[in-house]
Amino acid sequence: METLNSSDLIRDDEIFLRMNPAERIQHFLLILTFTILIVTGLPLIFYELKIFKTLMSFERAFYIRGVLHRIAAMILIVNIIWHFFYTIFTKRGRSNFKEMIPKFKDVRDAWDLFWHNVGLTQLLYKKGVLKTFFEKHPYWLFEKEPEFGRYNFIEKFEYLAVAWGSFVMIISGFFMWNVELSLRLFPLWVHDIFVIIHGYEAMLAFLAIIIWHMYNVHLNPEVFPMSKIWLNGKISGHELRTLHPLEYRKILEERKRILESESL
Ligand code: HEM
């Protein structure tokens, strides 16, 4: 058999499914509910801001804000329950979750990418500082970017942050919603902590989404102006090769194996 090129087995314009319709709907519901929860929650903290004063200027605005916050909270909870069952009871859900579990490699990837981006050791080497050390230990030059599998450490961290953040917001929000129950079960200071946590976690989540997530899926030069995966679920062979090389190679190996077993 002739030796096969990787481009023969995976064309750059071949389309792979990265997010199926169920995953896209879950992601869309998360965007929708999160936006409503932020817009209807933050006015309680930043009530002095002009934008919130204008938004809340009409009669019953505050009442409607509270109702919308609770409706969005319910949809968020249903969405999370759906995702939970999807993860447990579908093969694809289980496989995605397995790929999402953080490993030691993720810590190392974060470390390697940080120093690769900073470029300090390469600069020192170019200037002739510690030249013999770097020639003996080229790892410390961080010349190559780490290679990622189906999910990189940033995506894994974001997923964990959503899981942990939702848990915290649902528990604290539930007791803020049911104040009487909360005060029957806990002393007042515990309830006060629920309120504090709910507010600060909301700000943290808002900033994380605006700064981190938006950079990774919009502004990052590798995907600018926007990764369309959340809309059409598709990723090309080229994107797979450059952004998720380990997953790309896994598919390649599988195809090679199938081809070899067919030609036997
Ligand atoms: C990511 C999701 C969420 C965000 C970003 C968010 C945001 C906020 C913010 C910023 C506040 C104002 C806190 C303060 O006054 O210090 C608030 C209040 C509140 N939140 Fe949330 N929240 C979320 C989820 C939830 C959930 C899941 C529930 C219910 C289970 C909930 C129920 C409440 C309640 C009852 C209040 C009290 C004020 C009101 O009547 O609206 N929240 N939320």
Side-chain angles (χ1 to χ4, degrees):
M1 195 175 74
E2 276 178 57
T3 26
L4 280 162
N5 250 319
S6 51
S7 54
D8 295 334
L9 287 176
I10 303 182
R11 289 192 333 269
D12 266 6
D13 59 356
E14 183 177 343
I15 296 299
F16 292 85
L17 182 70
R18 184 148 170 94
M19 278 175 99
N20 70 13
E23 290 156 5
R24 272 178 276 154
I25 296 172
Q26 287 169 12
H27 181 255
F28 176 75
L29 284 176
L30 192 63
I31 299 176
L32 184 74
T33 50
F34 185 73
T35 310
I36 297 175
L37 286 161
I38 286 289
V39 173
T40 56
L42 288 189
L44 282 183
I45 302 179
F46 301 106
Y47 50 87
E48 295 211 320
L49 283 185
K50 205 169 162 215
I51 179 167
F52 290 140
K53 273 190 181 158
T54 319
L55 270 177
M56 299 291 144
S57 59
F58 66 95
E59 212 189 326
R60 286 166 59 85
F62 240 76
Y63 168 74
I64 294 170
R65 178 210 60 77
V67 173
L68 285 179
H69 198 81
R70 284 159 178 77
I71 294 174
M74 293 311 294
I75 303 174
L76 175 82
I77 293 170
V78 171
N79 193 27
I80 288 173
I81 295 173
W82 177 18
H83 180 69
F84 189 73
F85 280 102
Y86 174 80
T87 302
I88 294 179
F89 293 112
T90 67
K91 198 174 158 214
R92 191 180 154 91
R94 284 193 298 272
S95 146
N96 282 349
F97 187 77
K98 229 173 90 191
E99 295 284 345
M100 202 50 104
I101 295 171
K103 304 199 175 64
F104 179 71
K105 179 183 180 303
D106 297 304
V107 180
R108 197 172 156 157
D109 285 353
W111 163 266
D112 288 356
L113 189 61
F114 176 80
W115 288 110
H116 172 80
N117 287 343
V118 170
L120 178 70
T121 50
Q122 285 190 51
L123 182 76
L124 290 176
Y125 180 66
K126 272 187 202 139
K127 298 234 177 250
V129 183
L130 296 171
K131 215 171 159 89
T132 34
F133 171 81
F134 287 128
E135 272 161 9
K136 229 169 151 187
H137 308 283
Y139 165 75
W140 293 97
L141 284 170
F142 300 104
E143 265 171 328
K144 279 213 284 185
E145 278 187 35
E147 293 191 313
F148 304 122
R150 180 165 176 81
Y151 300 115
N152 62 33
F153 69 93
I154 299 172
E155 289 158 337
K156 290 183 182 186
F157 189 81
E158 285 187 345
Y159 183 78
L160 269 179
V162 172
W164 167 248
S166 302
F167 175 75
V168 168
M169 295 311 273
I170 290 170
I171 299 291
S172 54
F174 172 81
F175 286 114
M176 284 163 75
W177 193 342
N178 301 284
V179 184
E180 274 182 34
L181 175 71
S182 176
L183 294 179
R184 227 183 301 145
L185 292 174
F186 313 108
L188 179 64
W189 64 267
V190 173
H191 182 80
D192 287 344
I193 288 177
F194 285 144
V195 179
I196 292 169
I197 288 178
H198 200 81
Y200 279 108
E201 173 66 35
M203 283 191 268
L204 180 72
F206 175 63
L207 291 175
I209 293 290
I210 288 291
I211 299 170
W212 219 32
H213 191 64
M214 288 301 137
Y215 172 78
N216 289 324
V217 296
H218 290 285
L219 299 179
N220 185 340
E222 277 164 354
V223 294
F224 187 82
M226 182 179 76
S227 160
K228 293 198 193 72
I229 294 170
W230 70 290
L231 293 172
N232 57 23
K234 295 174 187 165
I235 187 164
S236 69
H238 174 259
E239 286 168 318
L240 205 61
R241 181 160 55 79
T242 50
L243 302 176
H244 307 278
L246 299 184
E247 185 185 13
Y248 175 88
R249 287 211 282 277
K250 209 167 136 187
I251 299 173
L252 203 65
E253 289 309 315
E254 254 167 46
R255 289 191 178 178
K256 273 187 189 159
R257 245 197 324 273
I258 293 172
L259 220 66
E260 275 164 14
S261 65
E262 277 171 358
S263 65
L264 281 179

